[in-house]
Each structure stands twice: as structure tokens, then as C-alpha cells.
Amino acid sequence: MRLDVVTIFPEYLEPLNVSLVGKARTRGLLDVGVHDLRDWTHDRHNTVDDTPYGGGPGMVMKTEPWGEALDEVLADGYEAGAGAPALVVPTPSGRPFTQELAVELSSRPWLVFTPARYEGIDRRVIDEYATRMPVYEVSIGDYVLAGGEAAVLVITEAVARLLPGVLGNAESHRDDSFAPGAMANLLEGPVHTKPPVWRGRGIPEVLLSGHHGKIARWRRDEALRRTTAHRPDLIERTAPEAFDKKDREMLSILGWAPDPEAGRHGRFWRRVEDVEE
Ligand code: ADE
């Protein structure tokens, strides 16, 4: 896979040399290019922004540097034989970044990222390239960062670990929290390793039992416990068929029950008497 990032802070992308993404690069699984947007400015101050039409606070990134930069980066990639490019535009007004989108992006041969600073990029730039290639406007969460570079790091890491050969074990994605196509999306429960006692704290007995069935059940119960506590929306969204008898017992202990109005196919909701006012 080829990745290009055009940014006014190339040094912000240094982490792409480290750890999983860095290793994927040295192993030739990822070809990463980081480009300084200011290389495509022509004035003494290397200006990349200007005041917004219509007034208002902040500055807007100008069309010309972005247009020249993207034309050149795209031309270079085509020359190098990269496949069909897609533009990834990190913005708090984009669609939410999810594991499903990470999987979709990981199947593309070439991603070009345009992290913005200030109030964003002149809309005409996005509209122009959208006529030539798929454009993904992506938000990594409901908060506003000072710029899109941190979002590029987040998206890149989530995508890179899905590439064939990057993680040791291809099976490992299947059990990821949020793996698309999973019957129920549950958060993963707690994990433990040696020593068996640390500061007086032991390991849950069942994990030492060697009984695979019981261990799997315990893990599932812990996943249900965590998901109900941290992400009740995931439980509410799950088709009830995804919960087996033991799941239902655990959900009941945790204060959840099928929606009584919906009959046998009702999704699970926190029982009314347990919901704090
Ligand atoms: N740029 C600023 N905030 C962002 C967010 N939440 N996601 C993606 N890009 C951003």
C-alpha cells in the first residue's frame, strides 16, 4: 500500500517511522511519503491560508498550494505504479472513523491524506479531486483537534495493522472489538499475565483451570460486563439472536432485559427500574 500525507507539519508525522507502521515500511509492505505543503507556495512568507469569504473567525487553507501539491503527489504515484488513489480528508465534520471504514481503507492500494490546520481547506479543493477519485471525509471522534495530523496517525495505524503480513497472526483481526460482521460487537474484557500474584492481587481462578469452555464463557461474561458499562449503545444495537442463553443470564444479572413491547425479537435494554433518574 502507498500512503502520502501533505501537511504543514511534516515532523508531526515522525511516528510513522516507529513501531508497527515503521516496521511495515522497512519490510516494504507500506510505501509512505510525507510532503510539506509549503513546498508548493511561491511567496516570501510561504502563505497557505487566507481570511474566509463571508467573514467569521479563523483562517482557511488556500486552493493553490493544495492543488499544486496534490497534482504533483498524484502524478508521482501514478508514475511509481500505485493503484487507484483515494483522498482521505480528516475533519471533525466528516463521517465517523470506525473499524468498518478501516477495513474498507485497508483494501485500497493508495491513500492520500490532507490534514488541515485552521478552519479547514477551501471547499473547492475537495470538490475538484472528488471528480477524479473517491474522497473520504473522516472524523476520529466528537472533539476538535488543532489539526488533522493526529487523525492521520490514528487512521494510518488502524489501517496498517490490517494489511496482510503486518501483524504476525492474520486470525487476530477476527476477534478485534468492532470487527465488522461480528454477530455482536462487544468490548474485549480484561487480560492478565505473570506473575500469578502482584501486590496481593491474584488471577481469576477460572483462567488457571485449563478448562477452555469455562474460560471462553468467563471472557464472554466479562465482555458483556464491560460493554454494558462503557458502551450500552452496542448492546442496544445488537440483534437479540446474537445472545445465547448464558449471555441472556449475564445480561439479566447486569440489569438488562429484552424490550417487553417488542415480543420475542426485542433488543435488549437496561431494565427501567435499574436506570438512574
Ligand atoms: N481535525 C480536527 N478535529 C478532527 C477530528 N475530530 N477528526 C478528524 N480530523 C480532525
Side-chain angles (χ1 to χ4, degrees):
M1 173 183 264
R2 174 164 166 142
L3 298 180
D4 286 285
V5 187
V6 182
T7 170
I8 59 168
F9 292 119
E11 64 277 21
Y12 208 121
L13 283 304
E14 281 290 314
L16 295 180
N17 294 319
V18 186
S19 183
L20 174 128
V21 176
K23 262 190 220 137
R25 289 176 78 174
T26 48
R27 289 167 57 203
L29 300 168
L30 258 185
D31 175 14
V32 180
V34 177
H35 315 273
D36 189 343
L37 180 68
R38 293 195 201 274
D39 289 348
W40 287 277
T41 56
H42 307 289
D43 64 316
R44 219 155 41 88
H45 301 289
N46 301 116
T47 310
V48 293
D49 60 333
D50 207 336
T51 53
Y53 276 120
M59 299 291 271
V60 175
M61 296 191 95
K62 292 163 68 63
T63 51
E64 295 98 330
W66 277 110
E68 284 187 33
L70 290 174
D71 285 350
E72 199 170 319
V73 167
L74 289 166
D76 175 66
Y78 283 122
E79 209 160 286
L87 209 59
V88 184
V89 183
T91 163
S93 37
R95 62 197 266 200
F97 185 57
T98 58
Q99 188 65 20
E100 193 172 357
L101 185 50
V103 170
E104 182 177 336
L105 293 178
S106 74
S107 73
R108 301 208 60 102
W110 182 12
L111 301 175
V112 181
F113 291 91
T114 61
R117 292 267 145 180
Y118 317 111
E119 298 299 312
I121 303 172
D122 187 310
R123 185 68 215 175
R124 292 168 293 179
V125 175
I126 317 298
D127 293 343
E128 165 77 9
Y129 290 92
T131 66
R132 305 190 208 166
M133 64 195 67
V135 173
Y136 296 88
E137 292 181 81
V138 181
S139 166
I140 62 161
D142 292 343
Y143 39 78
V144 179
L145 302 166
E149 285 77 7
V152 172
L153 295 175
V154 167
I155 297 167
T156 306
E157 184 157 320
V159 169
R161 66 185 283 285
L162 296 173
L163 297 177
V166 169
L167 281 193
N169 180 0
E171 290 276 287
S172 37
H173 309 311
R174 209 196 41 208
D175 300 330
D176 286 346
S177 295
F178 314 114
M183 278 270 276
N185 274 314
L186 299 180
L187 305 182
E188 284 176 25
V191 292
H192 306 80
T193 185
K194 289 170 269 305
V197 180
W198 179 73
R199 299 190 181 175
R201 295 166 187 275
I203 304 290
E205 203 63 47
V206 61
L207 296 180
L208 307 171
S209 70
H211 191 300
H212 298 302
K214 283 192 181 148
I215 292 172
R217 187 63 246 167
W218 181 84
R219 290 200 167 131
R220 178 93 179 165
D221 286 345
E222 290 304 306
L224 288 165
R225 198 187 293 281
R226 258 213 205 180
T227 311
T228 53
H230 295 169
R231 293 293 304 278
D233 58 304
L234 293 178
I235 303 283
E236 288 165 6
R237 250 192 269 155
T238 300
E241 302 79 63
F243 297 125
D244 67 14
K245 188 156 164 279
K246 289 273 166 42
D247 291 342
R248 286 157 190 269
E249 281 170 22
M250 187 63 192
L251 283 168
S252 177
I253 290 167
L254 294 167
W256 288 66
D259 180 357
E261 315 261 286
R264 225 160 47 78
H265 298 292
R267 291 176 188 248
F268 277 72
W269 297 90
R270 206 182 285 271
R271 276 197 301 269
V272 174
E273 65 265 28
D274 294 323
V275 175
E276 283 175 40
E277 291 301 323

